[in-house]
Amino acid sequence: MLAETLTAIRPADPRVLADARAHQDRLTKPRGSLGVLEEVAVRLAGAAGVTPPPMPAPAALAIFAADHGVHAQGVTPWPQEVTVQMVANFLSGGAVANAFAAQVGASVTVVDVGVAAELAPAPSLLDRKITWGTADLSAGPAMTVDQAVQAMEAGIAVAGDLVAGGARCLITGDMGISNTTASAALVSTFTGLDPALATGRGTGIDDETHAHKVAIVRQALAVNGLPPVGSQPSDALRALAAVGGFEHAAIAGFILGGAAARVPVILDGVIAGSAALVAAALEPAVVDHCVAGHRSAEPGHTAALDKLSLPPLVDLGMRLGEGTGGLLAYPLICAAVRVMHDVATFDAAGVTDKPV
């Protein structure tokens, strides 16, 4: 499934990109006056292969949940059982992601790819558990390459099912106590950024815990022989297996699956950003199908977005995860595309254009 998905991904169509930019310039507004929103609409047109691009509605949020063996190293004061408790909160509609999703009309699907507990069946819960959490990445590989591929293919399948069910925009979400530690390790691996600069405070840790967290990330990279990451797909998969989490792998697959279906994928914060680095290492054209919903307060997220050349739409100092930043950005993306559909051109409106 992974190989077939990678083969199906196409880069943005350069002819459509040019047509979309020309159309933007003919609309009744000063050229470039909508700033980043103009580029978002052009990006979505190129990715879809048609201008104006299809309206990205309805949207579907997928929250991939998993636990991490590195939690045993004390990188966060939050107990690991919070992961399963938050899954229950998502399913009952009580999380911030649920509130934001309701505000923008997005569906919410929760996917268990590695929660360290047995979860009771629920209508909006998908059981794709690989195993009960990863191994401790600071002592060796967090998972096997086969497990990483299995998690990626779970994400691909979820993307495909949501698109088949009518979703025209996918939003990444995550839940997993200690997953910012794995994210920092992935960002350091794929960007070369020093762990001290890639590692943030996650759920709000103090200085002492942060210093310890940085040390654990350094240890993880050393134990697993990272970086560098070579140019072969097997190198990226080995790095993902070494220091990633099941939710990172699943989100990478989710991104690839959306790109293969030519449906835009809105990336959330540092978890999604680090997963997108993996996806882009496997198929660079996947980035053409992504929009960075926001810039997380986690420092590694800025490094990831810079590496991906994706400008964030929203910068509110957020670091919650769950898909919240992507959900907040979604109406802006819809508005950008709506302009392409509804705004008149100078000729059609009888408005005099500025002389070229």
Side-chain angles (χ1 to χ4, degrees):
M1 182 189 294
L2 175 58
E4 292 173 356
T5 301
L6 293 172
T7 301
I9 296 171
R10 297 287 181 269
D13 187 320
R15 177 187 58 80
V16 175
L17 288 171
D19 289 346
R21 289 193 177 94
H23 183 72
Q24 282 280 1
D25 288 347
R26 292 194 299 271
L27 299 179
T28 47
K29 59 178 179 58
R31 291 174 180 82
S33 58
L34 294 181
V36 174
L37 293 182
E38 294 190 15
E39 285 305 309
V40 167
V42 169
R43 167 180 287 272
L44 266 59
V50 62
T51 190
M55 285 299 300
L61 168 68
I63 302 175
F64 294 91
D67 280 305
H68 297 260
V70 74
H71 180 272
Q73 297 298 329
V75 293
T76 175
W78 291 81
Q80 191 171 67
E81 54 264 31
V82 169
T83 300
V84 69
Q85 292 166 355
M86 281 302 301
V87 166
N89 196 24
F90 295 134
L91 295 175
S92 66
V96 177
N98 298 104
F100 286 1
Q103 177 66 27
V104 302
S107 66
V108 179
T109 301
V110 183
V111 189
D112 172 13
V113 285
V115 177
E118 196 67 49
L119 302 180
S124 57
L125 174 66
L126 299 180
D127 181 3
R128 302 292 184 268
K129 193 191 297 286
I130 312 303
T131 189
W132 289 33
T134 57
D136 181 356
L137 56 83
S138 70
M143 51 187 147
T144 67
V145 171
D146 285 346
Q147 287 176 326
V149 171
Q150 187 180 348
M152 290 187 74
E153 293 188 337
I156 291 170
V158 170
D161 289 346
L162 290 174
V163 172
R168 293 298 173 261
C169 182
L170 302 179
I171 304 174
T172 68
D174 68 272
M175 183 62 224
I177 297 300
S178 301
N179 64 9
T180 58
T181 300
S183 297
L186 286 171
V187 170
S188 290
T189 297
F190 284 92
T191 69
L193 191 67
D194 187 274
L197 300 176
T199 307
R201 294 181 181 270
T203 50
I205 56 178
D206 59 23
D207 290 346
E208 182 179 357
T209 306
H210 180 254
H212 174 63
K213 184 177 177 181
V214 171
I216 291 297
V217 173
R218 288 194 193 282
Q219 182 176 327
L221 299 183
V223 164
N224 288 288
L226 298 171
V229 176
S231 59
Q232 298 300 312
S234 58
D235 298 324
L237 290 174
R238 188 187 77 82
L240 170 64
V243 296
F246 289 127
E247 74 269 51
H248 296 86
I251 291 170
F254 187 68
I255 295 167
L256 292 169
R262 304 197 85 159
V263 169
V265 181
I266 306 178
L267 306 179
D268 189 37
V270 69
I271 314 302
S274 60
L277 291 172
V278 177
L282 293 170
E283 175 46 72
V286 74
V287 179
D288 291 348
H289 301 266
C290 296
V291 178
H294 82 129
R295 185 194 308 277
S296 168
E298 288 286 298
H301 192 218
T302 294
L305 294 182
D306 288 347
K307 179 75 172 181
L308 296 165
S309 297
L310 289 174
L313 289 184
V314 177
D315 190 348
L316 299 174
M318 293 170 55
R319 51 178 173 81
L320 177 58
E322 302 179 4
T324 50
L327 289 164
L328 283 178
Y330 174 63
L332 297 177
I333 294 167
C334 289
V337 176
R338 179 72 65 187
V339 166
M340 295 281 279
H341 282 266
D342 292 359
V343 174
T345 62
F346 284 102
D347 288 342
V351 175
T352 302
D353 193 2
K354 182 183 72 171
V356 177

